[in-house]
Amino acid sequence: EKKIRDFSISIIFLTKGKVKRLRQAKEEAMAETDQYRMQRDEEFRQKQAKIMGSQSNILEEIEVQTLGKIKELHASYSKSMESVINELLSIVCDVKPEIHVNYRLTN
């Protein structure tokens, strides 16, 4: 009877120790997975920031090019406007009656 009691007490202590070691191992594993997850999240954020940063640089370049093109077109317009209007007015106002080359006299 005493042997059985000692044996059952030793089994209880062994299982308590095992349970304690299992809990500790579980906590360590959870801590490792949390740390790994945080590391991967940080890497993802860095890559995302890098990609978004490069996209914003491209957008800025496109904006600069567009504004340059608009300024170029305005300068060309200002330079050509007067000569084009004068040429158009001379064509409209200076009427020179001519017979068209395809006109046939029918008499």
Side-chain angles (χ1 to χ4, degrees), residues 39-89:
Q39 178 186 358
R40 295 297 287 178
D41 285 345
E42 182 62 31
E43 289 174 6
F44 173 75
R45 285 189 204 104
Q46 288 175 354
K47 287 180 182 179
Q48 189 178 27
K50 183 179 177 183
I51 290 171
M52 291 303 199
S54 65
Q55 285 181 353
S56 67
N57 290 343
I58 291 172
L59 290 174
E60 289 173 6
E61 288 177 18
I62 291 172
E63 186 71 26
V64 167
Q65 288 176 355
T66 303
L67 290 175
K69 188 69 173 175
I70 289 172
K71 286 180 183 178
E72 183 181 315
L73 290 172
H74 280 297
S76 175
Y77 167 78
S78 298
K79 188 173 100 174
S80 308
M81 179 182 65
E82 190 172 333
S83 64
V84 169
I85 289 177
N86 288 336
E87 186 177 336
L88 189 62
L89 284 174

Side-chain angles (χ1 to χ4, degrees), residues 13-57:
F13 283 122
L14 286 176
T15 55
K16 283 184 180 180
K18 226 180 200 180
V19 169
K20 187 177 182 181
R21 279 180 280 169
L22 284 173
R23 280 189 192 138
Q24 185 179 4
K26 182 180 177 184
E27 289 171 0
E28 288 175 3
M30 292 295 287
E32 284 182 29
T33 54
D34 288 343
Q35 182 181 4
Y36 180 74
R37 184 179 297 119
M38 287 172 41
Q39 178 186 358
R40 295 297 287 178
D41 285 345
E42 182 62 31
E43 289 174 6
F44 173 75
R45 285 189 204 104
Q46 288 175 354
K47 287 180 182 179
Q48 189 178 27
K50 183 179 177 183
I51 290 171
M52 291 303 199
S54 65
Q55 285 181 353
S56 67
N57 290 343

